[in-house]
Amino acid sequence: MAKKVQITETVLRDANQSLMATRLPYADYEGILSTMDKAGYYSVECWGGATFDSCLRYLGEDPWERLRNLRKNLPNTKLQMLLRGQNLLGYKHYHDDVVEKFVELSIKNGIDVIRIFDALNDFRNIKTALEATKKYATANTVASGCISYTQSPVHTVEKYIEMCKELKEMGFDTICLKDMAGTMSPYEAEHLIKGIKDAIGDMPIALHTHCTTGMAYMTLMKAVDSGVDIIDCATSCFSNGTSQPATETMFYALSQYGIETGLDEKLINEVNDYFKPIKQKYVDAGVLNPKSMATDAQALVYKVPGGMLSNMIANLTDMHAMDKFEEALAEIPAVRADMGYPPLVTPLSQMVGNQAVTNVLLGERYKQISKEIQNYIKGEYGIAPAPVSKELENKILGEGGKPVDCRDEDVKRTGNELKEAKEYLGDLAKSEEDLMSYICFPPQAEKYLKDRKAKEENSATYSIVEV
Ligand code: CO
């Protein structure tokens, strides 16, 4: 039995993202950061994922300024981010020089733990981000290699162990298993963690899961029993449902069990007290849908993440075709198998779901194939976990056609994004961070930078009058 396990608090990033579409502004939680800083977490996950996009698109915040503020107010805590490898925080592959600069700036502005994943577990897509992390690492930097967990005939325990060995060889400091759909059962966790621990020795392993299907507490307990080092939890009022298990609950259960977490009971309860009225504010405003806080075991039947189901329901409702829902659900496993069993995580969950709906609505498989799936078959996303169906491949690539190599060095090494962003933005951009915001989310960042400039000009005029 493990004697010690550490806890990552996710309220600022994943809980915020899973329960309320990442709409939590920095100002709402600034007041609790000094308490969180003393609570004894392994890390606070607070940046990356959808937070960057949300800052620019919805909240009128500079994500880099948010990060610097987090750093200032959490001086003793590791700040953690989630990074989609070569996609950074966006939805396309960027050139290596952009990836390197993004990682450099993330560390420079305060990030410690960079959790890096690729939707397909094609680790060539996380190599550049890892190398940049190592290049710009400070004494506190942790490069965490993250595996997108899924279930399929090719995703065996052995395969996951092989992936972990590969991540260790690549030079990652820790490994994270990321169960985005919450479909990892307690006994799967046991087999996985024991197998991985046997294979990679004392390299720390983190388990990230979601409560969506109701298994997460059991799964975390089995994982702890099996030697996992770090688990992800969310302060209790922002826990459960599509979010993580509750920090205080896990703390209590583990303490009863004689397992050290390093958490301060009084402080983690203070954190929860602070967030309670904030949560209520967003429930009242309809931003936080209480539905997302409930348990829904449907994902266990269909093996698809909760978010993907609600997406499909919304699409079918729009098209007045909800009578096709069951048929579309039944089509998902077939599409996924044809695509070589990709993990159903952004953007693949949406791609597979949309294609299943199209197949059913048109009454014929692959009569129409989305642009994204065509690019996937062409190899632009990376290598699929299992071979793609020949029929589908021939349809897109032609008889005997070969997919491209998404990591073709000549094409991918450097691009003109940085130079072009600088020329285009002119004096709107005041820093490399501004350029990076624009490269990742062009229209949203441009609007933010223009608004910022207008605000500055107004206050300048105002101060002249004052004088
Ligand atoms: Co998550």
Side-chain angles (χ1 to χ4, degrees), residues 204-351:
I205 305 176
L207 180 59
H208 173 89
T209 185
H210 288 253
C211 293
T212 324
T213 69
M215 286 194 296
Y217 290 90
M218 296 182 280
T219 302
L220 287 189
M221 278 317 255
K222 268 286 173 202
V224 170
D225 255 352
S226 309
V228 83
D229 300 277
I230 301 153
I231 53 174
D232 288 9
C233 298
T235 194
S236 59
C237 68
F238 269 91
S239 70
N240 295 342
T242 50
S243 175
Q244 274 77 47
T247 307
E248 305 95 287
T249 310
M250 285 306 297
F251 167 80
Y252 186 84
L254 292 167
S255 306
Q256 291 278 305
Y257 212 30
I259 295 176
E260 288 254 343
T261 57
L263 293 182
D264 182 314
E265 187 174 11
K266 184 173 157 279
L267 296 184
I268 57 174
N269 280 300
E270 273 178 34
V271 171
N272 187 46
D273 287 342
Y274 178 91
F275 277 104
K276 272 185 204 167
I278 292 175
K279 173 196 173 179
Q280 195 54 47
K281 178 171 81 176
Y282 291 105
V283 171
D284 294 345
V287 175
L288 201 163
N289 185 344
K291 252 192 191 157
S292 64
M293 308 207 68
T295 300
D296 186 352
Q298 222 178 7
L300 295 175
V301 181
Y302 300 111
K303 301 285 182 198
V304 299
M308 184 173 163
L309 280 184
S310 43
N311 221 5
M312 275 179 70
I313 292 171
N315 286 345
L316 286 167
T317 307
D318 276 354
M319 293 183 276
H320 305 286
M322 257 315 274
D323 56 314
K324 297 273 198 252
F325 182 59
E326 294 294 326
E327 216 183 316
L329 271 181
E331 179 67 7
I332 289 174
V335 174
R336 189 165 170 244
D338 285 341
M339 288 172 66
Y341 299 106
L344 295 176
V345 62
T346 302
L348 284 147
S349 43
Q350 293 85 339
M351 284 157 62

Side-chain angles (χ1 to χ4, degrees), residues 386-428:
V388 170
S389 101
K390 268 283 152 242
E391 183 204 343
L392 198 50
E393 213 170 61
N394 289 343
K395 251 197 168 128
I396 304 298
L397 303 175
E399 211 58 60
K402 285 263 174 292
V404 297
D405 179 356
C406 77
R407 291 299 303 151
D408 185 337
E409 293 301 313
D410 293 341
V411 186
K412 294 292 177 190
R413 187 50 61 189
T414 51
N416 296 319
E417 287 99 333
L418 281 158
K419 193 169 148 265
E420 281 168 9
K422 200 171 180 171
E423 279 168 14
Y424 179 76
L425 291 173
D427 69 344
L428 276 181

Side-chain angles (χ1 to χ4, degrees), residues 334-399:
V335 174
R336 189 165 170 244
D338 285 341
M339 288 172 66
Y341 299 106
L344 295 176
V345 62
T346 302
L348 284 147
S349 43
Q350 293 85 339
M351 284 157 62
V352 170
N354 293 346
Q355 189 62 49
V357 167
T358 307
N359 287 357
V360 165
L361 290 183
L362 297 181
E364 186 187 323
R365 219 164 247 174
Y366 310 121
K367 190 171 179 184
Q368 251 177 42
I369 301 173
S370 71
K371 187 89 198 126
E372 289 80 15
I373 291 201
Q374 292 187 33
N375 292 339
Y376 173 90
I377 303 294
K378 284 179 191 160
E380 288 179 15
Y381 289 77
I383 297 170
V388 170
S389 101
K390 268 283 152 242
E391 183 204 343
L392 198 50
E393 213 170 61
N394 289 343
K395 251 197 168 128
I396 304 298
L397 303 175
E399 211 58 60

Side-chain angles (χ1 to χ4, degrees), residues 13-14 18 178 180 208-210 244:
R13 205 289 294 179
D14 203 345
S18 299
K178 173 182 160 69
M180 50 276 171
H208 173 89
T209 185
H210 288 253
Q244 274 77 47

